[in-house]
Amino acid sequence: MFEFWCEYDINPLIIFNQKGHIVYCNQEAEIFLSYVNKKEVFTLAINNAPKNPGMKVEFKKVVFKDFEFNGFMVGYQDDEHIGIRLFINTNTHQISLEELEKVDLAMIINFAIEYVSLRQDTKISLYYDTSIPEIYLNKKALLNLLFEIFENQKEIFIETKIEVGEYIKIDNKKYPIIEMIIKCEPQKQIKSQFFEVINKEDGYIIKLPLIKEAHENSNS
């Protein structure tokens, strides 16, 4: 039961030995650790360890590159191992699957580029991953999101890719992720109820659930 609960926990769970080597991590942690510096995570655990054996929980914003957490739990029983559990920001996963229709993502992006180019002088470059299949999404919501990001921009670089080994959880279902990276000068905070949007200092990242069949978003 221990391994079952740990593996299905949506929060990254990592256990280090005294030298900072990983002796155990669950599936969520494997994805997380493939993108970040493991020494930084170990340092966070050591610097926030309880003074005596036991657990310490703290709720505060913790950021590792594109990963943002609401807090952490650090614990140990002896000097040989220390564990840390990072609490994900669940607000980013409260995504609505409504008005889905089958679309060619490249066509949607190119339409947004052409539309914006007619209204303003913007240099836009696109690097599109041709392995992305047709998917189901809320076309209107995505176009409105792109229009909002593109507005008043002088230069934009767009890259799309399928995130290998990463997924997004919606209504207790897991979906692979298509990541749309938009490099530009961010002029405001962007939010969406239909897609996960990460606001960065050099632009935005939109994470789209890769839904290939209409029935995938059904709970039946």
Side-chain angles (χ1 to χ4, degrees):
M1 286 295 293
F2 168 78
E3 291 185 0
F4 173 81
W5 284 110
C6 289
E7 286 304 315
Y8 281 86
D9 190 344
I10 61 174
N11 299 289
L13 172 62
I14 308 159
I15 298 175
F16 297 94
N17 65 16
Q18 71 273 26
K19 294 182 179 180
H21 299 149
I22 297 170
V23 295
Y24 173 80
C25 64
N26 62 2
Q27 294 179 11
E28 290 293 333
E30 287 182 4
I31 297 170
F32 167 63
L33 291 169
S34 66
Y35 289 91
V36 304
N37 188 323
K38 300 174 182 61
K39 291 183 178 179
E40 293 182 9
V41 184
F42 179 65
T43 300
L44 176 67
I46 293 296
N47 290 344
N48 291 277
K51 294 182 179 179
N52 300 307
M55 293 289 182
K56 177 183 177 182
V57 179
E58 190 165 346
F59 292 99
K60 66 179 182 181
K61 184 178 178 180
V62 179
V63 178
F64 291 94
K65 293 188 176 180
D66 296 333
F67 294 85
E68 181 177 311
F69 302 96
N70 285 338
F72 53 83
M73 174 190 291
V74 179
Y76 69 96
Q77 288 183 318
D78 51 50
D79 294 334
E80 294 184 4
H81 299 94
I82 186 169
I84 183 168
R85 182 171 180 253
L86 296 156
F87 304 134
I88 66 169
N89 184 351
T90 55
N91 292 330
T92 60
H93 295 275
Q94 295 175 357
I95 295 172
S96 176
L97 297 179
E98 299 177 3
E99 300 180 30
L100 302 185
E101 56 183 296
K102 195 172 188 178
V103 300
D104 182 325
L105 183 58
M107 292 182 64
I108 297 295
I109 298 173
N110 282 316
F111 176 82
I113 290 173
E114 291 175 6
Y115 179 81
V116 170
S117 296
L118 291 173
R119 299 170 62 89
Q120 62 191 45
D121 184 17
T122 304
K123 180 182 178 182
I124 303 178
S125 303
L126 172 63
Y127 178 78
Y128 189 81
D129 183 350
T130 56
S131 69
I132 297 174
E134 289 188 327
I135 61 173
Y136 282 84
L137 55 71
N138 187 318
K139 180 171 69 175
K140 181 179 179 181
L142 180 58
L143 283 171
N144 287 338
L145 186 59
L146 293 177
F147 293 154
E148 187 176 7
I149 293 174
F150 292 174
E151 185 178 15
N152 298 323
Q153 294 289 344
K154 297 298 182 182
E155 187 170 359
I156 302 170
F157 174 79
I158 307 168
E159 178 184 0
T160 63
K161 61 180 180 179
I162 298 176
E163 282 293 339
V164 179
E166 187 176 354
Y167 61 86
I168 190 167
K169 195 170 185 179
I170 308 173
D171 296 333
N172 294 319
K173 291 182 179 290
K174 293 181 180 180
Y175 301 95
I177 293 176
I178 297 174
E179 195 168 81
M180 189 184 305
I181 303 166
I182 303 176
K183 300 285 187 180
C184 62
E185 184 178 343
Q187 300 173 350
K188 53 187 172 181
Q189 289 284 309
I190 301 293
K191 295 182 179 180
S192 172
Q193 72 179 88
F194 300 99
F195 312 106
E196 181 178 345
V197 181
I198 299 174
N199 291 265
K200 297 174 62 65
E201 294 182 355
D202 60 348
Y204 307 91
I205 296 177
I206 305 174
K207 295 193 175 187
L208 312 173
L210 200 167
I211 303 174
K212 294 188 292 184
E213 301 293 340
H215 67 268
E216 283 189 66
N217 67 305
S218 172
N219 290 322
S220 58

